[in-house]
Amino acid sequence: VLLATMAATDAKADDTKPRAPLLILTGTPAFGADAVVSEGWFEIIARVENPSAMARRGTLLLVREPSWRSSENRSAARVPFSVAAGGSTVVHIPAHGMPSYMPMLTLSAVADDETPLASVELSITDTPGPILVDIANPSRLATALKGSTVSVDWDPTRRGRAPARTLGVGAPTFDPKTGEPLLPIRTEGYASATVVVIHSDVLAHLEAEPLDALVHWVLSGGSLAVVPTRPEDLRGPVMSRLAGGPVHANRGAAAIATMLAPAPTPLLVTTTPDDDGGGDDDDAVATTTGNADGTDDTKTPSTLAPNTPPEAVKSRLVGYAGGALRASFFGASTSYGLGEVHLLGFDPAERPMVDDAWAHARLRALVEHAWERNARSAFHHGGAEGSRGDTTEIRRALDPNESFRAPLALAAVLLVLYSILVGPVLFLRAARMGRPLAPLVQAPLLSALTFGLIVFVGLAGKGFRGRARRIALVEAQEGAQSGPIRRYRGFFSSRAEALTIAATDRSCLVDVASVDTTPSGQGVLRIDRNGVALDGLTSLPWQTVVVREDGMFDLGDGVSLSENTEGDVTVENLTPYAIADAIIYSTHKGFFHFPSLPPRSKTLTSSGRFLNSVGARDAVKAGTTMVHRLDAQTLRSPFPDAVGARIYALWHPIELAAGDAVDWYPDDAPVLLGELTKAESGDSDSGLRLESNHVLVRILGHEVTP
């Protein structure tokens, strides 16, 4: 009895001892918990540590849910993991932001048999606005620029004034074992970044996946600021690729003079009330800072940044040349696709620059410059629809029910005929035959027949099988071999079923964009060795579900737009596709139309049909910046009915989804609009018959050389 009592006591003591966790799970947004994320895509960097003596494998589940726990807005992502005994692994999980609904993110790990292993709630800062990402460990810029503001002219949310916005500064985490930064492995993971600052030695040693994601982000419109640290990095393959050739330092007076040039507009240094930043009170000015939407009307003391740096900073300035670089306000700069690459003429993380007001002002000016360039893209890659963007017309264009007018008209005719037959015809005929009770037998038969015909017409009109439709927009800089693509894919099913919608290729991410009625399941984003897919998206009978997809599109050798000073644009189509209904905008002469631009063809705008002058552009304000609307209705007017209706039907939904803060026709660059014919082959999409597939293209030319 005593031995049994002792054994029981030992067992109870063992039960009270804390058990080792099955897994240790942590997660943070790619650019830190304090960095803002956009309404589009971002990445969660999850670390799984296994303290046990046995290997574990399973699935990481990231659940995004609004604060009111509504199941209809709940979404999730699933990514498999495998971790050795006593080891750890890092998993990248894409998430789609929903800032206006204040999402809660829960990261959990489950075994293959769905046994819970670990769970943690994640906090994110979800106020959209300009953000500078400093890829450094530790990030000195995060401390130096914290609380500072940037003054922006382009503001997609307001008209008539240009508010100042609080600058967000983010920094990635670094792998404690390798010392390498844990950066997004998908281009869409950079959707919230405005400028990325990276030292050349870190850039040169990035692995293939994070390097491709960063380079494609620049190609899609991002701004990359490189701080040269070693001469060999400037001649290496990565820098040569971004700059268009090997780079070398240039300490000439002309290169330094460009950096020292006064700013086009006064640059401000934000100060706190108890720190005047070294400026005189007479130079203090008022600026606006930090609101919920990135703006605020609260006055914060500021001083004008000095036009020239102190001698300790000036003596360290270095210019750069080579490739396609040109001397710039920031050091040396060049275009790369829709984005820009800047080689900074100073290291902003080193003393004395890290504490210098002039250097801070240059960095904020770089963020402002990059932010203004957002107006040049219809869709910010990986981001949500534009300001006041509306996908209603996209859904209508992809909804087969919108073409249901003919069956409705036929059903109406059947009802009219039925009312005539059952009414006067049957009763007059019965009266002539002397059989007044005959309609009591004939009317039900006619009713049943009419009902059957109407049901058949409805089924035939909606379709006995499911169908799919697609419409997409590719945007690229002239000469670029690839560019970002935004696809909208519509799925219409004749019965209730759970759809599995696979991404078009491995570079794409998919998310629900629009549903005509509430679905019973929003789907789970599954990422595994087979690619990316949206699983379990339940659609109701004759319901249209629209999926938004972001990725990259191959343009072959691209499209070349070369405009001379007289306004003649030479268009060279080096893609493998013909461009149908090509509309070319010249900054001097206006709009020209070509029914088709064949592959490998070269055309001069003067040989096309003149449509409208430059003044036909419809200009509106986005902040204090004037932008020019696409105005699909104006594009439609010069054409015959059939051609104009087709152009309008393709471009009008895209224009509405992009919002009204897009500069479709900049003052300083030619533009080409058209449709790539037979750009994406295939007769089915996710098991449904592909009914239509339109790939539109917008090519933006380089600035016109005076």
Side-chain angles (χ1 to χ4, degrees), residues 212-489:
D212 285 346
L214 180 60
V215 169
H216 286 154
W217 171 71
V218 180
L219 191 71
S220 303
S223 291
L224 179 66
V226 181
V227 181
T229 53
R230 303 180 308 182
E232 58 267 30
D233 298 333
L234 301 180
R235 299 186 297 269
V238 177
M239 201 67 249
S240 296
R241 174 185 177 186
L242 292 171
V247 179
H248 61 273
N250 177 17
R251 298 182 181 273
I256 304 300
T258 305
M259 269 186 285
L260 295 175
T265 57
L267 299 178
L268 302 181
V269 179
T270 305
T271 60
T272 57
D274 59 347
D275 178 12
D276 62 5
D280 296 331
D281 293 340
D282 293 339
D283 293 332
V285 295
T287 186
T288 56
T289 56
N291 224 347
D293 62 352
T295 66
D296 197 348
D297 298 326
T298 304
K299 300 298 181 181
T300 301
S302 298
T303 57
L304 292 177
N307 280 327
T308 57
E311 189 59 35
V313 173
K314 187 176 179 180
S315 63
R316 291 172 176 259
L317 297 181
V318 181
Y320 297 94
L325 289 174
R326 62 188 185 279
S328 73
F329 193 60
F330 315 107
S333 305
T334 184
S335 297
Y336 187 78
L338 293 171
E340 288 185 333
V341 177
H342 306 275
L343 268 68
L344 296 184
F346 57 94
D347 188 341
E350 281 191 355
R351 295 185 184 278
M353 284 74 70
V354 72
D355 301 317
D356 181 62
W358 180 88
H360 293 177
R362 280 299 191 270
L363 283 179
R364 293 202 314 279
L366 177 57
V367 174
E368 293 166 2
H369 171 73
W371 180 263
E372 306 295 335
R373 290 179 58 84
N374 286 332
R376 302 170 75 91
S377 296
F379 294 112
H380 187 57
H381 186 62
E385 281 67 35
S387 172
R388 292 177 286 274
D390 186 1
T391 58
T392 301
E393 290 300 316
I394 289 281
R395 189 194 63 77
R396 292 184 62 183
L398 300 179
D399 187 356
N401 291 325
E402 295 297 327
S403 60
F404 196 61
R405 295 178 181 178
L408 284 177
L410 181 57
V413 170
L414 289 174
L415 288 175
V416 171
L417 291 176
Y418 166 75
S419 62
I420 294 174
L421 288 175
V422 171
V425 172
L426 282 184
F427 284 96
L428 287 175
R429 183 172 179 273
R432 286 198 303 267
M433 297 179 63
R435 298 173 57 188
L437 299 179
L440 297 178
V441 177
Q442 297 167 346
L445 294 177
L446 282 174
S447 297
L449 178 62
T450 304
F451 175 77
L453 288 174
I454 290 176
V455 170
F456 178 79
V457 168
L459 289 173
K462 286 182 173 289
F464 295 100
R465 296 193 310 166
R467 287 168 282 173
R469 295 180 178 182
R470 287 186 174 194
I471 187 169
L473 175 66
V474 180
E475 295 186 274
Q477 190 74 33
E478 68 98 7
Q481 297 180 344
S482 63
I485 183 171
R486 168 67 59 87
R487 292 185 185 90
Y488 291 97
R489 301 161 60 187

